[in-house]
């Protein structure tokens, strides 16, 4: 009996010690997050630094301190987990990006964005996979099969859309922001879909049938993920518009919007779809319909709540990546041949640069062929910035590399350890070097950022600004694009539609949106009328006829 009791006490003490160490780790990590925010604020006016690079550098410095204190046993406070990244940290970032994006700018350039994000990713993946197959077979790095080489292509074709948010400004360079960030979101989704497809297909016998199955699977995931995000966003708009929770509690409105946004991502993961695409388009739909159906206080709350969650998650990711970069277990396997690790990292960086250049410049040329006006075309200087800003690799590449080359964050194989350490090196170098140089490069190549009146006007239906709707004259999007007056003839034939496809599609969408979608799902000008509500107190009910 005494032995059993002493064993139980010892177990409780172990558990208590374990729980206490977890609490200490979380306290230190939260303190580091606060330090990142404070230092980032102090460096706000610095032309070189941003929050992402600041968090990364603080993470590396913290990793060095922990490594010294622990005697070289550990360098981080928390253990990296793909579930932590993909399920908890990435959704708020991507959703807020869709929620805050200027929809008019995004959809006017939608074809170019899809070209860069989908076709460009395939080109980049092919070049990187072909390059590593040729180079790595000649190097002594261990055994890698065809599936590993293709996975490396998908891993390093994934750009860092999170860091893009930090280095580009939506107001100063709207065209560049729209193209690079929009491409980054589609690129991340494409890379994840490619990676999953590579893991699920038998690549030992590649033939035309497998290739067509691969393409069909990719298109299916791409379309269904997008439609699921749109459906979830419309469902949230319909529920809030019909039930109008704000008459009793704004807290319920805010909670429902946040939970429905997260539900869209989890539904995509449940059905093995791309959660990144789903939650991004859910954010766009929610900002267009749902956000206008809630009370004014709920609008302010959701706008800042989503932005705050996204901001904290971004800092969390880069802080941890910085600490994890010095994990001694990963570097132990390559300590006997540091030259090999440096060579592998250099080859990967070179292939990333070549792979991106291989699609940015040709696809920009093709995109410019469809543009009639000079101000709509992507200049060569802007193409250079798009190429450079998309060279950064981040947490998506890290997470995919862990998935392919480790089990539970650990590996005992030399080839896998080299790939993990090389991925860490590429992420650090690309984020710091390319991230630091992006802002100065923009100022050098575009000393006076090109602003076009048709593109840079804030979209009144986007929750980016509360001031813009009060300053505008009430013109609809057609007028903003020059379609409401007599300067541009409205297309009334197929030939006219082909001559001005972007404007024509936008015009017909606006007519359909005003006639069918907004009366059903709400939106700007179609909010429910409840006497005495904060939103409608001074606004007459809309006229449906």
């Amino acid at each position: 009996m005494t032995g059993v009791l002493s064993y139980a006490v010892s177990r409780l003490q172990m558990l208590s010690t374990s729980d206490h160490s977890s609490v200490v780790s979380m306290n230190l990590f939260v303190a580091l997050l606060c330090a990142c925010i404070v230092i980032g604020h102090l460096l706000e006016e610095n032309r070189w630094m941003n929050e992402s690079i600041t968090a990364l550098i603080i993470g590396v410095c913290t990793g060095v301190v922990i490594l010294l204190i622990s005697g070289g046993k550990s360098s981080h406070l928390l253990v990296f987990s793909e579930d932590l990244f993909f399920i908890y940290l990435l959704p708020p970032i991507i959703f807020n990006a869709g929620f805050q994006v200027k929809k008019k700018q995004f959809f006017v350039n939608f074809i170019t964005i899809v070209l860069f994000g989908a076709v460009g990713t395939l080109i980049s993946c092919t070049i990187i996979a072909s390059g590593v197959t040729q180079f790595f077979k000649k190097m002594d790095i261990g055994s890698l099969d065809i599936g590993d080489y293709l996975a490396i292509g998908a891993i390093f074709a994934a750009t860092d859309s999170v860091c893009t948010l930090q280095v580009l400004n939506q107001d100063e360079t709207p065209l560049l922001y729209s193209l690079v960030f929009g491409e980054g979101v589609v690129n991340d989704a494409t890379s994840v879909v490619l990676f999953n497809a590579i893991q699920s297909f038998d690549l030992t016998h590649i033939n035309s049938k497998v290739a067509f199955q691969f393409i069909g699977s990719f298109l299916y995931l791409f379309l269904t993920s997008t439609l699921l995000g749109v459906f979830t966003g419309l469902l949230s708009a319909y529920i809030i518009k019909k039930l109008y929770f704000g008459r009793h509690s704004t807290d319920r409105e805010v909670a429902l919007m946040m939970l429905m946004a997260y539900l869209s991502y989890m539904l995509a993961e449940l059905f093995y779809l791309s959660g990144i695409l789903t939650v991004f388009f859910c954010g766009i739909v929610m900002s267009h319909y749902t956000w206008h159906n809630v009370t004014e206080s709920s609008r302010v709350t959701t706008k800042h709540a989503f932005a705050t969650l996204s901001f904290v998650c971004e800092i969390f990711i880069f802080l941890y990546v910085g600490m994890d970069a010095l994990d001694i277990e990963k570097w132990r396997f390559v300590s006997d041949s540091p030259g090999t690790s440096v060579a592998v990292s250099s080859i990967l960086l070179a292939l990333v640069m070549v792979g991106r250049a291989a699609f940015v410049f040709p696809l920009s040329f093709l995109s410019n062929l469809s543009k009639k006006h000079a101000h709509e075309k992507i200049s060569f200087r802007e193409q250079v910035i798009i190429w450079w800003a998309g060279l950064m690799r981040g947490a998506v590449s890290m997470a995919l590399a862990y998935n392919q080359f480790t089990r539970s964050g650990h590996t005992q194989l030399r080839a896998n350890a080299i790939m993990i350490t090389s991925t860490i090196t590429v992420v650090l170098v690309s984020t710091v070097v390319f991230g630091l140089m992006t802002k100065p490069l923009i100022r050098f190549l575009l000393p006076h950022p090109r602003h076009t009146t048709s593109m840079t006007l804030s979209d009144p239906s986007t929750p980016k600004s509360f001031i813009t709707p009060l300053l505008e004259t009430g013109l609809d999007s057609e007028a903003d694009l020059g379609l409401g007056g007599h300067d541009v003839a409205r297309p009334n034939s197929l030939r006219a539609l082909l001559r001005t496809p972007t404007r024509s599609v936008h015009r017909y969408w606006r007519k359909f949106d005003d006639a069918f979608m907004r009366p059903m799902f709400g939106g700007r000008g179609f909010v429910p009328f409840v006497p005495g509500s904060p939103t409608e107190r001074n606004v007459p009910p809309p006229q449906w006829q």
Side-chain angles (χ1 to χ4, degrees), residues 224-234 264 277-279 281-283 285:
T224 50
S225 301
T226 301
L227 291 176
L228 178 60
V230 172
F231 171 78
T232 311
L234 290 176
S264 69
L277 269 180
T278 298
V279 77
F281 279 97
C282 179
V285 173

Side-chain angles (χ1 to χ4, degrees), residues 9 16 95 110 153 185 210 218 236 381 425 433 441 462 483 502:
V9 170
S16 177
F95 174 81
F110 186 71
V185 173
V210 173
F218 171 75
S236 69
R381 292 188 174 190
T425 303
V433 175
L441 183 67
T462 299
L483 298 173
T502 302

Side-chain angles (χ1 to χ4, degrees), residues 235-479:
L235 181 62
S236 69
Y238 185 80
I239 292 174
I240 290 180
K241 178 177 181 293
K242 289 298 181 183
L243 299 181
Y244 200 74
F245 294 90
R247 76 182 73 185
H248 298 302
S249 171
T250 58
D251 297 338
R252 293 173 185 170
E253 287 183 322
V254 176
L256 189 63
M257 284 187 69
M258 298 180 72
L259 291 174
M260 288 290 286
Y262 190 67
L263 179 65
S264 69
Y265 187 89
M266 296 310 298
L267 283 174
E269 295 297 315
L270 177 65
F271 296 116
Y272 302 101
L273 302 176
S274 171
I276 296 174
L277 269 180
T278 298
V279 77
F280 178 73
F281 279 97
C282 179
I284 290 178
V285 173
M286 276 195 172
S287 71
H288 190 66
Y289 297 109
T290 313
W291 189 73
H292 295 278
N293 294 340
V294 299
T295 60
E296 190 69 26
S297 57
S298 294
R299 293 183 193 181
V300 176
T301 302
T302 52
K303 173 180 177 288
H304 292 290
F306 292 141
T308 302
L309 282 173
S310 173
F311 176 71
V312 173
C313 290
E314 289 171 18
I315 296 178
F316 189 103
I317 289 172
F318 283 100
L319 183 62
Y320 184 80
V321 168
M323 284 191 289
D324 192 61
L326 298 176
D327 188 2
I328 199 66
E329 289 187 10
K330 303 180 184 67
W331 293 98
R332 180 164 50 88
F333 290 93
V334 298
S335 58
D336 58 334
S337 55
T340 303
S341 181
V342 172
V344 170
S345 302
S346 301
I347 290 171
L348 288 172
L349 270 172
L351 288 172
V352 166
M353 299 177 74
V354 172
R356 184 159 182 83
F359 75 83
V360 168
F361 298 104
L363 293 182
S364 296
F365 175 77
L366 292 177
S367 176
N368 287 341
L369 291 178
S370 64
K371 305 292 178 59
K372 294 184 62 178
H373 304 287
H375 65 79
E376 295 177 345
K377 296 182 179 181
I378 308 171
S379 68
F380 180 74
R381 292 188 174 190
E382 289 173 329
Q383 293 175 33
V384 172
I385 295 173
I386 292 171
W387 167 73
W388 182 270
L391 291 174
M392 289 173 284
R393 297 298 178 263
V396 174
S397 296
M398 289 272 293
L400 295 180
Y402 272 74
N403 186 293
Q404 179 70 20
F405 297 109
T406 70
R407 291 184 178 180
S408 302
H410 302 283
T411 181
Q412 300 295 325
L413 299 176
R414 183 172 180 272
N416 290 355
I418 288 177
M419 290 313 306
I420 292 296
T421 54
S422 299
T423 303
I424 293 171
T425 303
V426 170
V427 169
L428 289 177
V429 172
S430 64
T431 301
V432 174
V433 175
F434 300 140
L436 282 174
M437 294 299 296
T438 300
K439 286 184 179 180
L441 183 67
I442 292 174
R443 289 188 173 94
F444 175 74
L445 294 177
L446 300 175
H448 302 287
R450 196 172 58 176
H451 294 273
T452 58
T453 56
S454 62
M455 296 300 135
T456 58
L457 287 175
S458 296
D459 189 348
S461 60
T462 299
K464 186 71 178 175
S465 172
F466 292 97
I467 302 174
T468 303
L470 302 178
L471 299 179
E472 290 183 343
T473 58
L475 297 178
D476 203 355
S477 300
E478 295 178 13

Side-chain angles (χ1 to χ4, degrees), residues 56-79:
L56 197 64
I57 294 175
I58 291 176
V60 172
C61 295
T62 305
V64 171
V65 173
I66 298 174
L67 202 62
L68 293 175
I69 294 175
S70 64
K73 295 181 180 179
S74 177
S75 66
H76 45 68
L77 300 170
L78 304 174
V79 178

Side-chain angles (χ1 to χ4, degrees), residues 40 42-50 436 439 443:
L42 296 176
L43 297 175
E44 181 70 26
E45 301 301 326
N46 190 286
R47 61 180 296 184
W48 302 92
M49 299 296 290
N50 58 64
L436 282 174
K439 286 184 179 180
R443 289 188 173 94

